[in-house]
Amino acid sequence: MIPIDLRPHTNAWAATYDRDRARGTVNAWGNSFPAEELPFGGSLALGGIEFELPPKADGAFDHCEALGQRIELPHSCRGVGLLAFGELGAQTVEMAIGSPDGGVEHMTVHVNGWLVEGNPPANSDRLLCSHLHYVGGYELSQLRPAMWSVRVGWTRDDGTWISLGENPFFHVVAMTALGFRDD
């Protein structure tokens, strides 16, 4: 597993600290994840995949809304793990995977929605935060934000780039390359 640096492709804020809640852009109401509960500058394992989140830099975007970004992979691989979530419920995005010989494989990727009600049972594929950040500085316990581990594999064993389709409701926080020829 090799983490993929998404910083050149980020375009929105998923997480805010109490002091900067107004920067949240997960939805039209400015809601966001509580940044203090996410391992920025560290790693976490979900669904058997290790993810690394870069340090959260003040004023810098922290994730990708899927808007057609082309992401180069560190070297040929057979899949990726996504730490992702859907806005306004479960979402899909079309993804293209390219190989050095010019071949391109297309697939549809699905992710669950980011809001979970109450206190659901534990789930090893989900990072569940304790509360949702509201712009007005208040807290409600009915909805909690969650990110999901999604494993995406393709039939070719030499994917060298990924192109995310265009769905601004599909959010990618981290990506890890999986399945190398020498595995």
Side-chain angles (χ1 to χ4, degrees):
M1 294 184 209
I2 297 176
I4 298 167
D5 185 4
L6 294 179
R7 286 179 289 184
H9 309 286
T10 59
N11 57 4
W13 285 281
T16 59
Y17 293 100
D18 284 333
R19 69 180 182 273
D20 63 0
R21 287 181 182 216
R23 285 190 174 160
T25 58
V26 173
N27 60 22
W29 302 276
N31 299 128
S32 58
F33 287 86
E36 63 275 5
E37 293 186 20
L38 301 175
F40 289 107
S43 63
L44 74 149
L46 288 173
I49 301 171
E50 287 283 332
F51 295 101
E52 288 188 13
L53 277 68
K56 186 153 175 63
D58 193 37
F61 294 132
D62 62 14
H63 82 288
C64 300
E65 289 182 353
L67 296 176
Q69 295 93 328
R70 180 180 160 134
I71 301 164
E72 299 297 323
L73 300 173
H75 37 95
S76 294
C77 61
R78 292 187 291 265
V80 293
L82 303 177
L83 180 59
F85 61 91
E87 177 186 342
L88 297 176
Q91 295 292 326
T92 60
V93 71
E94 298 302 313
M95 186 181 285
I97 296 87
S99 61
D101 66 5
V104 178
E105 185 173 339
H106 297 271
M107 64 185 57
T108 301
V109 179
H110 169 86
V111 69
N112 291 324
W114 81 302
L115 296 177
V116 177
E117 291 186 35
N119 292 308
N123 182 319
S124 66
D125 293 341
R126 174 185 63 211
L127 170 68
L128 183 62
C129 293
S130 67
H131 64 285
L132 179 64
H133 270 186
Y134 291 85
V135 174
Y138 58 91
E139 307 296 340
L140 297 175
S141 60
Q142 291 90 343
L143 297 174
R144 296 171 60 189
M147 295 181 187
W148 303 88
S149 174
V150 178
R151 187 177 295 266
V152 180
W154 42 85
T155 58
R156 306 176 67 95
D157 67 354
D158 59 355
T160 57
W161 58 265
I162 290 175
S163 178
L164 296 174
E166 293 190 20
N167 178 353
F169 301 127
F170 193 103
H171 301 261
V172 180
V173 177
M175 187 180 295
T176 301
L178 305 171
F180 300 97
R181 292 177 191 224
D182 56 355
D183 286 352

